[in-house]
Amino acid sequence: MSTRSNGTVHGWRSLFRRRPADRDLVAYRRLALQLQQDLSATGSRRSVLLTSPRSSAVVARSAVLLACCAAEELDGKILLIDACPNDPDTSELLSATGKPGYAELRRGAREAWRDLVLPTENRRVSFLPAGDPGSTGEGTALALPDLLQDAERDYSLVILSGGSALDGSSALAASPHTGCTLITIVEGETRMADLNSAQDELARCQTP
């Protein structure tokens, strides 16, 4: 896999200075193994979309933790994609704001998608930033199904950070093309009404 020679994406160590609770890490490790088992058993695509009813910041942190834990548990390469250019919390978390990526590919980047993938401090995890939502296309737009199909050939698991399901359209657009969609919630914060609404919106956007 080729990557741009514009440095390693930082942010992993700063994230883990505020070390998650051991029970959280155990939960994400179990989730990674469960995803591998479920997606393999059903013959689904090796990709997962993370979203939440409202908070895209929660999605970003969850996506990073899942990527790190999946790399350890699956002993394979993981691609993390910030698929929310209008609210790029994952790119901000990994100090990759402003770097070209998902938005440029969807609008027609001159570069191949592999040339926009960045290495991270975790040698098994690569990152495709959100990019600039205001970018203009100079090449042929890359459809998300084609991107995922290619990425799944190169990586053991592809994780998309899709932001809020109710406050943006990124998650709704990506959900029909991934192997599964996970809704992240925050205990004591996520409202049941919002969770139900997010589930309804995601269900409506699925391919019949």
Side-chain angles (χ1 to χ4, degrees):
M1 179 189 69
S2 61
T3 56
R4 299 186 65 171
S5 57
N6 52 358
T8 298
V9 172
H10 298 283
W12 303 88
R13 291 173 186 167
S14 63
L15 174 69
F16 283 105
R17 288 194 192 107
R18 301 182 298 278
R19 178 178 172 81
D22 287 340
R23 65 179 183 181
D24 291 336
L25 293 176
V26 169
Y28 280 103
R29 291 188 179 109
R30 288 177 176 171
L31 175 59
L33 292 173
Q34 189 66 49
L35 284 169
Q36 182 188 45
Q37 178 179 338
D38 290 349
L39 294 177
S40 298
T42 61
S44 297
R45 310 188 71 158
R46 293 195 315 278
S47 55
V48 55
L49 169 71
L50 269 65
T51 184
S52 77
R54 295 289 183 190
S55 176
S56 58
V58 168
V59 177
R61 191 170 186 274
S62 296
V64 171
L65 286 171
L66 179 58
C68 291
C69 292
E72 294 178 4
E73 294 300 321
L74 306 185
D75 193 24
K77 297 191 300 180
I78 308 299
L79 177 62
L80 174 60
I81 300 175
D82 188 343
C84 192
N86 290 319
D87 201 2
D89 284 313
T90 308
S91 295
E92 291 177 7
L93 184 62
L94 299 181
S95 302
T97 304
K99 295 184 182 295
Y102 185 78
E104 284 77 9
L105 291 172
R106 301 287 282 133
R107 285 178 169 81
R110 288 178 297 176
E111 301 92 335
W113 72 266
R114 291 179 179 85
D115 294 329
L116 299 181
V117 171
L118 303 174
T120 71
E121 292 174 357
N122 185 319
R123 63 183 180 84
R124 289 195 179 105
V125 180
S126 300
F127 180 57
L128 180 64
D132 179 5
S135 62
T136 57
E138 299 179 2
T140 302
L142 180 61
L144 181 56
D146 294 333
L147 169 61
L148 292 177
Q149 186 174 15
D150 275 357
E152 288 168 7
R153 293 193 187 103
D154 293 353
Y155 296 90
S156 298
L157 184 66
V158 181
I159 301 170
L160 290 82
S161 180
S164 167
L166 298 179
D167 296 332
S169 60
S170 297
L172 300 181
S175 181
H177 307 295
T178 59
C180 69
T181 298
L182 301 179
I183 302 177
T184 59
I185 62 174
V186 181
E187 186 176 0
E189 293 183 20
T190 302
R191 298 172 62 244
M192 183 59 68
D194 286 340
L195 176 58
N196 291 336
S197 295
Q199 291 175 322
D200 290 342
E201 289 296 322
L202 289 165
R204 276 194 286 268
C205 73
Q206 297 302 311
T207 304

